[in-house]
Amino acid sequence: MAQPSQPSQPPPTPDARLRPRRSLAVCALIGAAVMAAVDEIVFHQLLNWHHFYDRATPTVGLLSDGLLHTAELLGLVAGFVLYADLRRRRALSVPHARAGLFLGLGGFQLFDGIVDHKLLRLHQIRYGVDLLPYDLAWNAAGLVLLGIGAALAVRAGRGVRPVEAG
């Protein structure tokens, strides 16, 4: 009885080697886009706590949400295209990719909490309430995610020696 043929794996490309920095950067882009999507879907749409830009009319706020949604989708598409390319080339460093994902999640969260909320005052988390608990929880969540990403990056750096210049 003939055995069914197994699909063959494509041979590695001539420069098949792990790309830890690129893996980290690509997945940081994906992480930032995912966190932007969570923010936009949960806080802008479901809870209706704020828009991306709340210092104008509701129509401008809705437009700004649409632009944020567009940017997050472009980030996801670009990130996953680059991720697929790393996988195709067998150059993905999974530990660095995991670290990058958490760095992107936390980086977006903290940037939004400090720059968008406090420095630029584009919007607040909520209105008509004491903001301090919300700000502390928002920024603490970002710091925790960044801390996890940093710890994973250090651990990944000990396990994989970079073979790339950038």
Side-chain angles (χ1 to χ4, degrees):
M1 183 177 222
Q3 294 285 334
S5 64
Q6 296 287 336
S8 63
Q9 291 287 334
T13 57
D15 70 341
R17 57 187 173 185
L18 295 181
R19 303 280 187 182
R21 290 182 190 168
R22 188 171 297 163
S23 299
L24 191 136
V26 164
C27 288
L29 172 62
I30 293 169
V34 166
M35 189 54 79
V38 168
D39 179 29
E40 199 264 329
I41 291 167
V42 173
F43 296 100
H44 298 206
Q45 293 179 18
L46 296 177
L47 295 175
N48 198 24
W49 281 2
H50 62 259
H51 294 290
F52 180 70
Y53 184 72
D54 273 339
R55 300 180 73 190
T57 65
T59 302
V60 171
L62 190 58
L63 173 66
S64 69
D65 285 350
L67 294 172
L68 174 63
H69 191 60
T70 300
E72 104 209 358
L73 287 174
L74 289 172
L76 284 170
V77 169
F80 280 113
V81 165
L82 294 168
Y83 180 86
D85 183 59
L86 283 168
R87 293 274 316 229
R88 181 184 64 80
R89 295 174 185 269
R90 296 183 181 172
L92 180 71
S93 169
V94 174
H96 288 86
R98 190 174 296 121
L101 179 69
F102 278 95
L103 289 170
L105 291 167
F108 178 87
Q109 183 82 3
L110 204 56
F111 180 88
D112 187 45
I114 293 172
V115 176
D116 292 342
H117 296 178
K118 298 303 165 198
L119 296 178
L120 299 177
R121 296 189 177 275
L122 296 177
H123 62 264
Q124 295 300 320
I125 298 171
R126 286 193 78 176
Y127 293 96
V129 297
D130 178 17
L131 286 175
L132 184 61
Y134 289 95
D135 287 336
L136 291 175
W138 193 270
N139 292 326
L143 284 171
V144 166
L145 291 167
L146 270 177
I148 292 169
L152 290 172
V154 167
R155 193 163 120 194
R158 290 182 183 146
V160 176
R161 295 291 155 232
V163 292
E164 64 179 325

